[in-house]
Amino acid sequence: MTGLARVLQSDYMNFAKTEKGAPYNLATSGVADCTLADLGASLDDLALHGPNAYGYGPLVERIAARFAIPTACVVTAGGCSFANHLAMAALVEPGDEVLAEDPAYELLVSTLGYLQADLRRFQRRPEQGWRLDVEAINAALTPRTRLVVLTNLHNPSGDLADESTIHAIAEAAAKVGAKVLLDEVYLELMFRTGEARTAFRPDGNIIVTSSLTKAYGLSGLRCGWILAPADLAQRMRRLNDLYASLPPHISERLSVVAFDKLESLRARANAMIDANRAVYLEILGQHPGLDQVVLDQGTTVFPRLVSGDADAFFERLMTRYQTTVVPGRFFGRPDHIRVGLAGDPAMTRTGLERLAAALDAR
C-alpha cells in the first residue's frame, strides 16, 4: 500500500507556535524556561565551532554514560520532536503498517502521515487509567506491522508504564518482525534519585527518543537524542545528512554543561510540578464539570468536559479569561482538554482559578 496521501503540516505545532499570547498559559507541557544563571555556565564553557560532524563527542559520551550504553548507540538530534522524526524516517517506508497509541501526541501522528505510513491505532482508555493494554496491542499487531509507537510517560495523560509492560509489548512486536519506538521525554522527570533508566537495550528491538527540553526548561538548547542498535543508529546519522549539515555547536557545549546540572534542574522542575499538581487537585480535582484521571506524575492532566465542545470552551477561556489550554481534538479527543502543570506556580494557580471560573460560568 503506497498510495497514501502525504501529510504536509502539523496542526498542533501551528497551534503551539501561535497560541501562546494569553497571560495564563496552561497549554505548555514543558517545564518553565530556566536561565543561563540556572545552568551556571561561563564564557569558558562556550565556543561557536568544534568537531561535531556526527555529534559532539563530549555530549555523546555524556548521554551514553548516563544510560550505560555504547556511544555507537547514541544519535544526537534537535530536540525530541526531530529525534522522533529521524527515527521514524529510518524505520518506515511508504505503505508500512505502523501501530500507534490513541490518544497520541499529534506530531507523532502527522509525521507518520508525512512518511506515508499505513497508520493503525490501539486505544488507551480513561476507565483503565490510560494504561497500556498489552493484550489490546497484541491483538492489533498483524504480520504487516513494522513499528509500534508509544510514549512513556504518556502524552497527554501522564501515565507511567513499567518496564515489564514495555518489554512485553516489545516481545509481541518482535514476533511479527516489528520494532518499538518509545518516546521517553517525560520519563526524565521520574529520575528523582539521580539514577537514569531507559527501556532501550543495545541488542533489543526498542528504539528510544528523549531530550533535555521538556523536563528541565531547556527547550532553547534543542538537545535531543535517539538510542538505537549501532547499525540502525548509523543509518539514522547518514539519513540526517539529508536533513541538516551541522548542529549549532554553542548549544551542544551548553548541553554538556546542563548534563552536569541535571540534579538541581530536576529538583527545580519537580518543585514546580508538585506544587502545581496540589493546586490543581485543590481547585479542579473534584470539579463537576470534569470527568478525569489525575495521576501522580507527569506535567499534564487530560480531563474530559462533561458537556460542551472543547474548541468552543477554549475560545471562551482565552477571550474572557485570558487563559489557554490545549483543545483535545489535537489528540483525537474533541471533548477533552490538556492542562499543563509545569509552569510558574503563581501563574499556574491564577490560570487554574480562571479555568474553574470558566467551567462554572457555562
Side-chain angles (χ1 to χ4, degrees):
M1 184 183 296
T2 57
L4 298 167
R6 171 165 281 182
V7 174
L8 294 175
Q9 64 185 36
S10 165
D11 292 339
Y12 171 73
M13 287 305 296
N14 179 257
F15 167 87
K17 292 176 179 179
T18 60
E19 296 289 352
K20 291 186 175 180
Y24 305 101
N25 180 8
L26 304 179
T28 302
S29 63
V31 170
D33 293 342
C34 73
T35 66
L36 284 173
D38 293 320
L39 284 184
S42 70
L43 287 176
D44 292 337
D45 293 315
L46 306 182
L48 291 176
H49 310 286
N52 64 341
Y54 287 101
Y56 180 49
L59 180 57
V60 172
E61 289 162 6
R62 287 290 202 292
I63 297 167
R66 190 157 182 258
F67 298 107
I69 62 173
T71 56
C73 295
V74 176
V75 182
T76 55
C80 194
S81 292
F82 184 64
N84 284 326
H85 184 120
L86 181 58
M88 290 190 290
L91 293 165
V92 175
E93 298 285 343
D96 278 355
E97 183 177 289
V98 176
L99 183 61
E101 62 192 13
D102 184 4
Y105 179 47
E106 188 267 2
L107 188 55
L108 290 168
V109 175
S110 55
T111 299
L112 287 167
Y114 173 75
L115 297 171
Q116 296 178 285
D118 181 10
L119 182 62
R120 307 299 173 91
R121 311 298 293 273
F122 70 89
Q123 298 296 309
R124 285 179 178 253
R125 301 185 184 280
E127 62 269 24
Q128 298 174 340
W130 300 109
R131 291 189 299 275
L132 287 171
D133 184 336
V134 177
E135 291 184 4
I137 296 170
N138 200 15
L141 290 165
T142 79
R144 293 186 58 248
T145 307
R146 291 293 169 263
L147 184 66
V148 180
V149 178
L150 311 171
T151 57
N152 192 33
L153 308 175
H154 178 226
N155 184 5
S157 75
D159 173 66
L160 171 65
D162 58 33
E163 283 199 22
S164 63
T165 297
I166 296 296
H167 285 287
I169 294 168
E171 289 174 10
K175 290 178 182 178
V176 298
K179 291 181 170 58
V180 174
L181 178 70
L182 182 64
D183 179 332
E184 292 184 341
V185 70
Y186 295 99
L187 191 64
E188 286 285 328
L189 290 164
M190 304 303 296
F191 306 151
R192 292 178 185 262
T193 64
E195 182 179 343
R197 61 185 186 275
T198 178
F200 173 72
R201 302 291 181 269
D203 58 351
N205 67 328
I206 299 175
I207 293 88
V208 161
T209 56
S210 192
S211 76
L212 298 182
T213 57
K214 294 294 186 182
Y216 302 107
L218 294 170
S219 61
L221 294 184
R222 310 311 305 156
C223 177
W225 59 85
I226 307 165
L227 310 182
D231 58 341
L232 183 54
Q234 180 60 11
R235 187 195 313 174
M236 293 174 186
R237 294 186 196 98
R238 294 305 309 275
L239 178 59
N240 198 24
D241 289 340
L242 299 176
Y243 293 122
S245 176
L246 298 174
H249 186 56
I250 194 167
S251 292
E252 294 176 312
R253 298 283 293 239
L254 280 171
S255 296
V256 171
V257 174
F259 268 98
D260 294 334
K261 299 283 186 178
L262 290 189
E263 286 302 305
S264 62
L265 293 174
R266 189 180 301 109
R268 168 186 177 271
N270 279 314
M272 287 190 289
I273 295 166
D274 291 347
N276 290 339
R277 180 174 288 103
V279 170
Y280 183 94
L281 290 170
E282 170 195 332
I283 297 172
L284 291 167
Q286 302 297 321
H287 197 285
L290 299 176
D291 179 19
Q292 60 187 330
V293 178
V294 184
L295 300 170
D296 293 333
Q297 68 282 323
T299 66
T300 58
V301 184
F302 194 53
R304 182 180 69 85
L305 299 178
V306 171
S307 63
D309 173 77
D311 279 299
F313 179 74
F314 170 81
E315 291 299 327
R316 186 166 62 253
L317 180 67
M318 184 172 63
T319 56
R320 296 186 187 177
Y321 297 91
Q322 294 78 53
T323 301
T324 55
V325 294
V326 181
R329 65 182 166 88
F330 291 115
F331 303 93
R333 295 292 190 279
D335 55 349
H336 284 66
I337 57 175
R338 194 189 72 178
V339 182
L341 301 179
D344 171 77
M347 180 278 294
T348 300
R349 173 177 278 278
T350 303
L352 292 173
E353 290 170 346
R354 288 169 175 250
L355 177 54
L359 288 167
D360 292 340
R362 297 175 70 189

